[in-house]
Amino acid sequence: MSDTEKKIADTKGQFLQAVSQGQRLTDAEWRNCRIVLTTERVALLGDDKRQISLTDIDRIADRFDVNQQSAGVSDYVALYVGEDVILVSASNHEAFETDFYRASLDGAIVLVQHPALKGGVVQSAEWTKGRLKVTDEALKLAMADGQAVVIDRADIGDLTVEEKQVSGEERTVIQVEHSEDDISVETHLAGEEFHATVLRTMLEESAEQNQADLDLSSTEKRVIMALHSGVSPFDIPNFVGIDVEKTEEIFDRLIELDVISVLRERTEVNLTTKGRRVAGERMGEQ
């Protein structure tokens, strides 16, 4: 390794070459290996040794089921390298995925527009440079203008990808919706092709996981949209057309799903004997 290359992960796993020089290998089999991930490459060390430079990877995906062998493994990452596709499955897939994102993205400079939208309103934010850092929970951006932007991976909502002109070049722009200080914002990211493909895969995976975690009824979705549009929680029953008890049930469920948070608890009270006596005395004085 070079002086600047750093080891990120060293784990057991297996790999399968699904495509070689553009030809699908339908008889390909998994091969056990040691997986060494650094800031510059993925090394697959077994009977057959393979080293893949991170910058040679054109794109990544979570599935490429070339045959029953590949379809029988639930978790792997597909690396597209030129005319080859190599599937890599680590013993702890989730940890390896995050390590791969870190190796690929940490320290990379991308163009950022933040916030591009805030509360659904278009902002006048200019594109500026941002340095990336990936953690288990978030994508962090240290901006050239001094801002620190944190995109919680468990908080990603909508995500779209478009080709746009940015700084005079046609670039892949990733538009990710998340929250900031309890307000919905949209951050736009654009970078080099490799960084863009890894960012897109990581953020799409988080968005899909967040959507899969929710199984909301139409009424629950109406409640969420009402809150998003600024309706007071106390006005939800009348606005949505449900009774107070049903509203409380929905709030409880949405709190459990981490869709809404409690700002303050309402206290339900009854008068005690002493309280009723005070009330009686006040009524007698009138």
Side-chain angles (χ1 to χ4, degrees):
M1 292 196 303
S2 67
D3 293 339
T4 58
E5 187 176 4
K6 297 180 181 178
K7 183 188 290 188
I8 302 294
D10 189 338
T11 186
K12 294 180 179 179
Q14 55 185 349
F15 76 94
L16 179 152
Q17 180 140 5
V19 177
S20 177
Q21 297 182 347
Q23 298 296 314
R24 294 169 66 96
L25 304 180
T26 55
D27 59 348
E29 296 183 348
W30 289 102
R31 300 180 181 184
N32 293 329
C33 66
R34 173 186 168 201
I35 304 171
V36 179
L37 174 66
T38 76
T39 52
E40 296 182 11
R41 74 195 74 218
V42 180
L44 308 172
L45 309 176
D47 293 335
D48 293 326
K49 298 179 181 179
R50 182 77 184 262
Q51 294 200 50
I52 305 166
S53 172
L54 295 182
T55 55
D56 287 342
I57 298 172
D58 299 311
R59 67 186 184 94
I60 64 175
D62 61 351
R63 300 306 301 177
F64 190 97
D65 292 334
V66 69
N67 57 18
Q68 288 299 318
Q69 283 271 332
S70 54
V73 173
S74 58
D75 294 318
Y76 62 76
V77 60
L79 307 178
Y80 290 70
V81 186
E83 294 185 317
D84 295 349
V85 179
I86 301 99
L87 314 184
V88 180
S89 176
S91 55
N92 187 332
H93 175 71
E94 187 174 339
F96 176 75
E97 263 195 328
T98 297
D99 285 338
F100 181 83
Y101 298 146
R102 287 173 52 215
S104 304
L105 298 174
D106 273 7
I109 303 297
V110 296
L111 294 173
V112 185
Q113 190 181 33
H114 175 86
L117 275 75
K118 187 171 184 178
V121 179
V122 176
Q123 305 294 297
S124 59
E126 298 291 331
W127 286 96
T128 187
K129 291 181 179 180
R131 185 181 297 274
L132 297 173
K133 181 175 179 58
V134 176
T135 70
D136 291 343
E137 296 81 22
L139 173 66
K140 298 183 177 182
L141 296 146
M143 310 282 280
D145 61 6
Q147 290 187 83
V149 178
V150 178
I151 301 175
D152 188 339
R153 292 169 63 182
D155 180 47
I156 295 172
D158 193 24
L159 185 141
T160 57
V161 180
E162 297 181 1
E163 297 298 320
K164 290 185 176 182
Q165 282 283 330
V166 179
S167 298
E169 293 184 30
E170 188 78 8
R171 299 176 185 265
T172 300
V173 177
I174 302 165
Q175 304 171 17
V176 54
E177 185 270 327
H178 57 109
S179 63
E180 188 175 80
D181 298 326
D182 296 323
I183 298 174
S184 173
V185 298
E186 190 171 284
T187 300
H188 294 179
L189 306 167
E192 295 179 6
E193 187 174 353
F194 172 65
H195 296 142
T197 190
V198 177
L199 269 173
R200 176 177 182 170
T201 301
M202 182 182 74
L203 297 175
E204 280 183 338
E205 180 183 80
S206 297
E208 289 169 4
Q209 183 61 52
N210 296 340
Q211 292 170 7
D213 288 342
L214 301 178
D215 182 16
L216 302 176
S217 69
S218 59
T219 302
E220 289 168 337
K221 291 177 182 177
R222 286 164 58 205
V223 169
I224 291 170
M225 290 308 299
L227 291 169
H228 183 66
S229 64
V231 176
S232 166
F234 302 109
D235 295 331
I236 289 294
N238 289 334
F239 188 88
V240 178
I242 55 179
D243 60 35
V244 173
E245 184 176 346
K246 179 64 175 176
T247 302
E248 294 292 345
E249 289 177 3
I250 290 175
F251 282 172
D252 288 342
R253 174 168 154 74
L254 295 181
I255 290 168
E256 288 179 6
L257 292 172
D258 199 28
V259 175
I260 62 174
S261 59
V262 179
L263 296 181
R264 61 176 177 271
E265 296 280 2
R266 286 189 298 173
T267 304
E268 187 173 351
V269 298
N270 281 318
L271 287 174
T272 64
T273 302
K274 184 183 293 184
R276 288 193 294 272
R277 184 169 66 247
V278 172
E281 291 173 353
R282 289 289 297 161
M283 290 177 65
E285 293 173 358
Q286 294 176 358

